[in-house]
Amino acid sequence: MSFYTSLSGLQASQTDMSVISHNLANVNTNGFKKSRSEFADVIASSLASDPTKQVGSGVVVKANRQQFSEGNLRSTASALDLAIAGDGFFAMQTSGLNKQTNYTRNGTFLIDSDHFVVDSQGSNLLTYPVDSDGNIISAGSNSLVPLKLPETSGQSIATTKIALAANLSAKQAEPVGTFDRNDPTTFNYSTATTVYDADGTARTLANYYVRTQTPAVPTPTESKWEVHSYLGEEPLTLKGGTDDKFEMSFDSNGIMTAPTGAGTAVEFNTIIPKGTSTPIDLTQDFNNFTQYTSSFQVTNRSQDGRAAGQLSGVTVDSSGLITASFSNGDVNPVGRVAMANFTNPTGLRQLGNSYWSSTGLSGEPSLGSAGESGFGTLMAGTLESSNVDITEELVSLIAAQRNFQSNAKALETANSISQTIFNIRS
């Protein structure tokens, strides 16, 4: 009998060492939760047995119980690295034909080629849909959707009006030679403004400012400037004509008096830039241009076009609200991270890859958002490390090894006794 008792002790110690070794092997696994072997003694008895004469029959492993204490949190440089400070799990939808929902504490997420937010196994992060204010519009397990980040935001709007304000220095002399945009000595100043066509393609509108001769019978202090406008490499011509320049006049106080009154807009003929079939109609407003003795300076520049915004960044706040920012300045809420928790987390089934699935022991998941009752808060740019304490595990490993050696010695002794008995019989 002692042989089988010692053998059960060997098996239990071996299981204990296997569990500890598994813990140590995953000391660097994000979101990993260690396990602990729990044992119970075995007693063979009946109602007729004298309780004072019962002898135990060994040990049995009752459970390898998971420990869901929180691991250390460490900062990272990625906004999509998420950690749960407190209780809860991320809900993940697996890839492939047979999709199912698993749960994890490993918040290492990235954006795949289709702009879905996934983990290293390719499973999709599940979120609640939200409105433009970030409020959840549909709750419940059937409302969870894989998080997909939009590639663009808004519609492209073609530029129609440009407004400029600048000071053209009165100290500038008239340049020598015929205007040539490729020769800086033939003009005094230039400005560049980015404009957009209907497709959202950015183009450069350049203005070149040339101080010209004073008219034959002028006001002595009046001065004039020619303005040449180009869209890319193509000159713009004035509306209804073929002139590729227009004049600005300033009085003795440096105030613009022409074209036809200060601030009047200059309209151009429709132009179709090379390489596109999209026409552009532009009007430039030179309101608030001045000619003072101070240096040349652009004081205002604006245009009414825009391109569709390209995704430029993602942020996640402590409540799990995911916000996407775009190159055109748009900032849009795109979802809220769904959190899951269980009545009995130790009853979850381990699946590997830091995944768990629900069982009858764990109960069905309760869903909610970070920060609500029963759920921890989210920390962006942070990951949860394994909750394995190396020192504690090594001490436990030494104890398990001693238990194994003790049971091995007891087994050896039992074997020696049995051999002695066999020798007596012979």
Side-chain angles (χ1 to χ4, degrees), residues 370-409:
E372 294 179 352
S373 178
F375 301 96
T377 58
L378 280 184
M379 299 178 66
T382 308
L383 286 176
E384 181 185 3
S385 301
S386 165
N387 66 348
V388 175
D389 185 316
I390 296 179
T391 302
E392 180 184 347
E393 295 300 316
L394 289 176
V395 171
S396 298
L397 184 62
I398 293 171
Q401 181 184 19
R402 287 178 176 173
N403 291 339
F404 186 90
Q405 291 172 339
S406 298
N407 281 285
K409 186 63 177 178

Side-chain angles (χ1 to χ4, degrees), residues 349-363:
R349 185 185 305 279
Q350 294 187 53
L351 301 177
N353 293 320
S354 297
Y355 282 170
W356 288 271
S357 64
S358 60
T359 67
L361 292 175
S362 68

Side-chain angles (χ1 to χ4, degrees), residues 175-190 208-210 226 228 230 233 244:
V176 178
T178 304
F179 168 73
D180 179 358
R181 67 190 297 257
N182 297 313
D183 183 358
T185 64
T186 63
F187 57 87
N188 299 91
Y189 305 116
S190 66
Y208 300 89
Y209 305 89
V210 183
E226 281 183 356
H228 302 257
Y230 283 76
E233 299 294 324
D244 60 356

Side-chain angles (χ1 to χ4, degrees), residues 213-250:
Q213 294 276 337
T214 303
V217 187
T219 302
T221 55
E222 182 184 24
S223 57
K224 293 187 176 183
W225 296 72
E226 281 183 356
V227 182
H228 302 257
S229 298
Y230 283 76
L231 186 63
E233 299 294 324
E234 302 172 68
L236 297 179
T237 56
L238 299 182
K239 189 77 171 180
T242 59
D243 289 342
D244 60 356
K245 64 181 181 295
F246 64 92
E247 282 191 338
M248 290 174 136
S249 298
F250 297 89

Side-chain angles (χ1 to χ4, degrees), residues 106 108-110 118-123 353 355:
N106 184 358
T108 308
F109 300 118
L110 50 89
V118 300
D119 62 10
S120 56
Q121 280 72 52
S123 298
N353 293 320
Y355 282 170

